[in-house]
């Protein structure tokens, strides 16, 4: 082989090698890019990336060394022996390059492992998606259950309302029954009241409206109401008929609890009417059983009692009124008098409904003092 031929051969070899390394490098770079891309999402990215970089650097070093040697060969006049050695060295370098390629193939396997990891990650993603969908379904079911519960609650509310309505109906029936019973029995029901430091005493419930306690009644003139201070203090008469409960009891009852006052009146012609006061209170004996409170008037008779508010009680033998030359009670019966009054419900009883010193409620009969009422029922009840 001539030296020219040798040089040509070397040149061809060098070109081939260059082409080969170029191909290998491109291949490696492609693989690296692929691996890098596939590693982007994994936590092992840094470790694998570093390994790849290291391998690449090593490969480039080998490549450069081969190139340098080939250039050296090409620029030297060398012996056959040298050439054989050089070829051997090249062969070794090529083997090394192949080893690198093998290494890179291993790297590809690592990339496969990465694929496996990716597929695991995907599986994990699928699992997460599945769990999320399950959660959605579960939430949906919870919502449905909540809706059912809300429905049940609404249902219960309705039931409560129904029960409440039924209770009210029962109350109404009971009330009606009681009032019917008392109407049927024509006798008024009697019961006892016990107050602190007092003997129990009998009272009657009102014929109507129900639930009130009667404290004074005029129906037929059978009872004498022309009485002294002590009689009005302790009360008199029969609770089943005509009577007055007594000022001391009224004081104790209305002092213990706020009371309402209801006055039912009747004329000889059978017509009836009423007056209502929403805050009735009587003072102590020391205060001369003053009419301390009346509250607000309502009713049909007109208001003939507010004039007597804050006035002391007077009887035939106790003049506590504000007139200087007479005792109102002497003519019109015991009452809360100022300069006398607009009402006299303890006056004389006139069966024919006529009499100047009789039972009056001025506003109900145009202050015609000849008219005397034939029915009186004064009642109280604790304020609710
Ligand atoms: Ca007087």
């Amino acid at each position: 082989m001539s030296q020219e031929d040798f040089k040509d051969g070397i040149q061809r070899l060098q070109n081939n090698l260059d082409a080969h390394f170029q191909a290998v490098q491109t291949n490696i770079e492609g693989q690296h890019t692929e691996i890098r891309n596939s590693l982007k999402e994994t936590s092992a990215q840094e470790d694998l990336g570093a390994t790849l970089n290291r391998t690449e650097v090593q490969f480039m070093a080998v490549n450069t060394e081969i190139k340098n040697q080939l250039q050296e060969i090409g620029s030297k006049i060398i012996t056959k022996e040298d050439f054989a050695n050089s070829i051997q060295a090249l062969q070794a370098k090529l083997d090394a390059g192949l080893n690198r390629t093998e290494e890179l193939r291993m790297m590809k396997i690592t990339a496969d492992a990465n694929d496996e990891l990716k597929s695991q990650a995907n599986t994990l993603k699928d699992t997460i998606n599945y769990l999320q969908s399950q959660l959605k379904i579960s939430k949906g079911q919870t919502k449905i259950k909540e809706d059912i519960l809300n429905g049940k609650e609404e249902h219960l509310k309705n039931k409560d309302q129904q029960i409440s309505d039924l209770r009210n109906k029962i109350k109404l029936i009971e009330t009606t029954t009681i009032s019917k019973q008392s109407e049927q029995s024509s006798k008024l029901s009697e019961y006892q009241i016990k107050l602190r430091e007092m003997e129990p005493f009998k009272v009657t419930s009102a014929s109507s409206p129900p639930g009130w306690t009667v404290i004074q009644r005029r129906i037929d003139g059978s009872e004498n109401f022309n009485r002294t201070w002590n009689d009005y203090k302790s009360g008199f008469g029969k609770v089943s008929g005509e009577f007055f409960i007594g000022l001391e009891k009224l004081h104790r009852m209305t002092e213990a609890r706020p009371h309402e006052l209801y006055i039912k009146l009747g004329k000889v012609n059978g017509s009836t009417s009423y007056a209502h006061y929403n805050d009735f209170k009587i003072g102590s004996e020391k205060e001369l059983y003053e009419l301390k409170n009346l509250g607000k008037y309502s009713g049909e008779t007109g208001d003939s009692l507010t004039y007597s508010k804050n006035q002391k009680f007077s009887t035939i033998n106790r003049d506590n009124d504000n007139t200087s030359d007479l005792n109102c009670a002497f003519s019109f019966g015991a009452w809360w008098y100022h300069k006398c009054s607009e009402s006299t419900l303890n006056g004389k009883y006139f069966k024919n409904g006529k009499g100047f010193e009789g039972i009056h409620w001025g506003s109900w009969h145009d202050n015609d003092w000849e008219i005397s009422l034939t029915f009186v029922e004064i009642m109280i009840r604790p304020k609710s």
Side-chain angles (χ1 to χ4, degrees):
M1 184 193 297
S2 72
Q3 200 169 345
E4 287 301 318
D5 286 339
F6 178 66
K7 273 188 177 173
D8 286 340
I10 292 294
Q11 190 59 51
R12 273 200 308 277
L13 191 61
Q14 191 169 1
N15 291 342
N16 286 341
L17 276 170
D18 280 346
H20 172 70
F21 282 125
Q22 192 61 46
V24 168
Q25 192 170 355
T26 305
N27 186 24
I28 288 165
E29 276 168 6
Q31 284 187 13
H32 283 191
T33 307
E34 197 179 315
I35 290 166
R36 277 207 188 91
N37 289 341
S38 66
L39 283 175
K40 268 180 186 166
E41 288 178 27
T42 73
S43 58
Q45 186 180 355
E46 275 188 8
D47 291 344
L48 283 170
T51 309
L52 277 174
N53 284 337
R54 203 166 51 247
T55 310
E56 200 172 7
V57 168
Q58 281 174 351
F59 185 80
M60 292 303 287
V62 171
N63 198 14
T64 309
E65 204 179 338
I66 290 170
K67 274 187 183 169
N68 289 343
Q69 284 199 5
L70 284 170
Q71 276 175 358
E72 220 178 287
I73 291 165
S75 63
K76 275 182 185 171
I77 298 168
I78 43 171
T79 63
K80 256 186 183 175
E81 211 173 66
D82 288 339
F83 179 65
N85 287 339
S86 292
I87 291 296
Q88 213 172 354
L90 265 174
Q91 190 63 54
K93 298 294 180 188
L94 275 172
D95 285 345
L98 283 173
N99 284 342
R100 296 292 176 214
T101 310
E102 191 60 30
E103 261 183 44
L104 285 167
R105 205 174 287 139
M106 289 304 291
M107 292 303 296
K108 181 74 173 71
I109 289 164
T110 310
D112 288 345
N114 184 52
D115 282 348
E116 174 63 21
L117 211 64
K118 263 167 78 178
S119 99
Q120 279 183 11
N122 283 337
T123 309
L124 204 66
K125 268 186 192 165
D126 288 346
T127 309
I128 288 167
N129 284 338
Y130 172 73
L131 286 174
Q132 276 176 340
S133 76
Q134 286 294 310
L135 197 67
K136 258 188 199 168
I137 292 166
S138 173
K139 271 182 186 166
Q141 284 173 347
T142 308
K143 180 79 176 64
I144 290 165
K145 278 178 185 165
E146 270 175 10
D147 288 348
I148 291 169
L149 273 176
N150 286 340
K152 295 247 184 230
E153 216 166 289
E154 193 60 33
H155 186 66
L156 278 174
K157 267 187 196 163
N158 289 339
K159 286 279 172 210
D160 279 351
Q161 188 56 47
Q162 283 174 11
I163 288 167
S164 173
D165 290 349
L166 283 173
R167 277 203 184 121
N168 287 339
K169 274 184 190 167
I170 289 168
K171 259 190 198 166
L172 199 69
I173 290 165
E174 280 174 354
T175 311
T176 314
T177 311
I178 286 166
S179 66
K180 273 188 182 160
Q181 276 173 354
S182 61
E183 273 168 30
Q184 281 165 1
S185 66
S186 78
K187 258 189 163 184
L188 299 165
S189 57
E190 293 181 13
Y191 56 95
Q192 282 199 328
I193 289 183
K194 174 81 183 85
L195 291 172
R196 203 158 33 90
E197 295 164 19
M198 281 185 104
E199 286 299 307
F201 57 94
K202 273 187 182 176
V203 293
T204 63
S205 62
S207 51
S208 68
W212 293 79
T213 297
V214 181
I215 60 167
Q216 191 256 39
R217 185 184 287 120
R218 311 293 299 272
I219 45 175
D220 53 14
S222 59
E223 187 58 67
N224 174 25
F225 275 72
N226 194 27
R227 289 172 176 265
T228 59
W229 181 263
N230 279 342
D231 286 346
Y232 272 94
K233 178 187 170 182
S234 34
F236 54 87
K238 287 180 184 149
V239 292
S240 57
E242 294 199 326
F243 78 103
F244 177 64
I245 195 170
L247 292 163
E248 188 59 29
K249 294 184 193 94
L250 278 184
H251 163 60
R252 303 283 183 105
M253 286 166 89
T254 59
E255 189 192 40
R257 260 185 91 171
H259 276 69
E260 300 172 76
L261 179 71
Y262 189 104
I263 299 168
K264 199 174 160 188
L265 302 172
K267 289 175 185 165
V268 72
N269 64 7
S271 65
T272 57
S273 191
Y274 77 97
H276 176 249
Y277 296 87
N278 68 1
D279 192 12
F280 178 63
K281 190 176 181 181
I282 299 298
S284 65
E285 186 175 21
K286 239 183 196 175
E287 297 167 306
L288 305 174
Y289 299 119
E290 179 191 329
L291 179 56
K292 294 192 95 169
N293 280 339
L294 261 182
K296 213 178 137 193
Y297 161 83
S298 61
E300 294 170 351
T301 61
D303 175 13
S304 287
L305 193 54
T306 298
Y307 179 82
S308 292
K309 200 193 161 199
N310 298 127
Q311 302 310 318
K312 318 221 174 341
F313 200 78
S314 293
T315 60
I316 47 171
N317 63 333
R318 296 284 288 270
D319 180 358
N320 295 319
D321 66 31
N322 298 314
T323 61
S324 54
D325 52 351
L326 71 118
N327 176 7
C328 300
F330 196 81
S331 300
F332 303 109
W335 203 242
W336 295 274
Y337 289 111
H338 174 37
K339 288 174 176 173
C340 295
S341 73
E342 296 174 357
S343 52
T344 60
L345 299 185
N346 292 323
K348 289 187 185 76
Y349 194 93
F350 294 96
K351 287 191 176 178
N352 64 0
K354 283 186 176 179
F356 181 71
E357 293 182 335
I359 304 167
H360 305 304
W361 189 271
S363 54
W364 194 35
H365 42 81
D366 297 326
N367 296 313
D368 179 351
W369 306 113
E370 284 299 326
I371 289 176
S372 181
L373 306 177
T374 51
F375 178 89
V376 178
E377 221 170 31
I378 308 176
M379 313 161 232
I380 60 169
R381 76 172 174 193
K383 288 181 85 163
S384 51

